[in-house]
Amino acid sequence: MAARFRSTATLGLFAYLLAVGCGSPSRPVLLFDTRVQTAALRQRFAADHGSMDQVKLPRRSSDFLQFVSGKRYAFVVRRNGVLAVAPLPTDASHNPYAHEILALGEAVVTAGGITVVHTRDTVSKIVIDADSATYCPTPDSVREAVPILAQAGIPSDRIRVDNRPRTCAADQPAAASSTAGPLPTRDYGDVMVEMDRRFRLVGEAVGEKRGDLADYELFGLLRSVRDDLPQAGPPETARRERLQPFARTFIDSDFPFLRQAIWDEDWARAREGVARVTATCNGCHAAGNVGFVKVGALHP
């Protein structure tokens, strides 16, 4: 497992930490303002009985053990360099801890998600990303969190930076604010073809026990189901409402099960997870009147 950590991205982190350590103390840090009005968020925060006392400010490696392993949490690096993390995972219902709340309504150094993978007393991996549609930080900005994690005692070979481009609130079509909803930006069938390709790559990577590749493609599959399908044109063979329960099953159940198995390098459980996703996909195809399209991602 340690050999996998010595990837190009990890070497990049070493170079980045060296540059930070040798750089000038006056190195300017870019700040990002929110793209949305915060008044409504603050009202909802109060209505949902949110408490800033519950916001986590991890400073030591042991502080990261309080987060549920494998769950993604919203985080910001405030303008004063403080790392603030939501007390609830991003998939929790009635979660009022938006990035703007964590940042106290101010500009941030970066904002996104943090996922901690740990056993009872050891952090084995931390993945950070810059996915914040309201702050829209640059992908590279998330690297500003790396020295903070290192200072907290997280070894650099256990830190991952997911710096793929993200959706920004300002990038949404103007029609998104109308009662008719956003205009379709993708063809539904094209998105499904892309999903099939990613899932096959997941199955191949699991079969070859290549955890990093499997995790990368699986997260891409999640983004296709969660983000791309709702923005695509309606399917031609069935009402979208018939297919939505299968998407929710993948997002809420199949994805976290399979991703945790991949992170644990439990390949028997990972193969079970791939089988679960396969069943969900084929069930969706049957509900969409295209049951003749069979998914089978895992190669023997």
Side-chain angles (χ1 to χ4, degrees), residues 1-290:
M1 183 174 180
R4 269 203 303 119
F5 287 156
R6 298 189 182 93
S7 62
T8 302
T10 302
L11 294 176
L13 293 183
F14 279 120
Y16 177 78
L17 291 174
L18 181 63
V20 170
C22 298
S24 167
S26 61
R27 181 177 65 89
V29 176
L30 296 176
L31 295 177
F32 300 90
D33 291 316
T34 179
R35 305 289 185 95
V36 300
Q37 297 295 325
T38 61
L41 283 171
R42 293 176 182 174
Q43 291 176 0
R44 189 184 73 182
F45 184 73
D48 289 347
H49 306 290
S51 170
M52 293 305 296
D53 293 338
Q54 299 298 316
V55 173
K56 308 302 181 183
L57 307 175
R59 294 294 176 268
R60 300 179 299 276
S61 59
S62 59
D63 293 340
F64 292 93
L65 299 176
Q66 64 189 304
F67 303 110
V68 178
S69 181
K71 287 284 189 178
R72 181 178 179 274
Y73 293 75
F75 88 94
V76 301
V77 175
R78 295 173 180 167
R79 63 189 309 161
N80 61 357
V82 170
L83 174 67
V85 185
L88 300 174
T90 54
D91 62 358
S93 59
H94 307 294
N95 185 350
Y97 294 93
H99 288 121
E100 300 90 315
I101 297 297
L102 299 175
L104 307 176
E106 298 183 351
V108 299
V109 175
T110 191
I114 181 169
T115 304
V116 183
V117 181
H118 62 80
T119 58
R120 180 175 299 179
D121 57 3
T122 303
V123 173
S124 58
K125 179 163 62 174
I126 291 183
V127 182
I128 50 177
D129 63 65
D131 190 356
S132 174
T134 51
Y135 276 104
C136 304
T138 60
D140 278 346
S141 72
V142 75
R143 295 182 181 274
E144 297 290 347
V146 173
I148 298 174
L149 297 174
Q151 187 175 8
I154 305 298
S156 58
D157 65 352
R158 299 182 186 180
I159 303 172
R160 298 289 187 275
V161 173
D162 181 355
N163 61 357
R164 282 170 285 175
R166 306 290 173 176
T167 301
C168 177
D171 295 336
Q172 299 300 320
S177 59
S178 72
T179 56
L183 293 174
T185 58
R186 299 281 303 278
D187 178 80
Y188 202 91
D190 289 346
V191 176
M192 294 298 295
V193 169
E194 179 180 314
M195 288 167 53
D196 179 71
R197 181 185 67 83
R198 283 196 178 277
F199 188 36
R200 289 180 182 277
L201 291 173
V202 171
E204 292 173 0
V206 167
E208 296 168 3
K209 300 181 180 180
R210 299 174 64 187
D212 284 339
L213 177 60
D215 182 56
Y216 179 86
E217 295 296 348
L218 180 61
F219 193 78
L221 179 61
L222 172 69
R223 287 179 59 82
S224 292
V225 176
R226 183 192 64 193
D227 303 336
D228 295 341
L229 279 182
Q231 299 297 325
E236 298 177 353
T237 59
R239 293 180 60 85
R240 193 189 299 267
E241 291 77 8
R242 293 188 62 187
L243 310 181
Q244 287 175 340
F246 297 93
R248 291 302 337 160
T249 296
F250 172 78
I251 294 170
D252 297 338
S253 177
D254 296 346
F255 171 79
F257 179 91
L258 178 53
R259 198 178 200 199
Q260 187 65 56
I262 291 170
W263 281 354
D264 292 343
E265 296 189 332
D266 185 335
W267 302 115
R269 202 165 87 247
R271 287 192 293 272
E272 178 187 347
V274 170
R276 286 173 54 164
V277 176
T278 300
T280 299
C281 290
N282 287 330
C284 184
H285 293 172
N289 300 313
V290 288

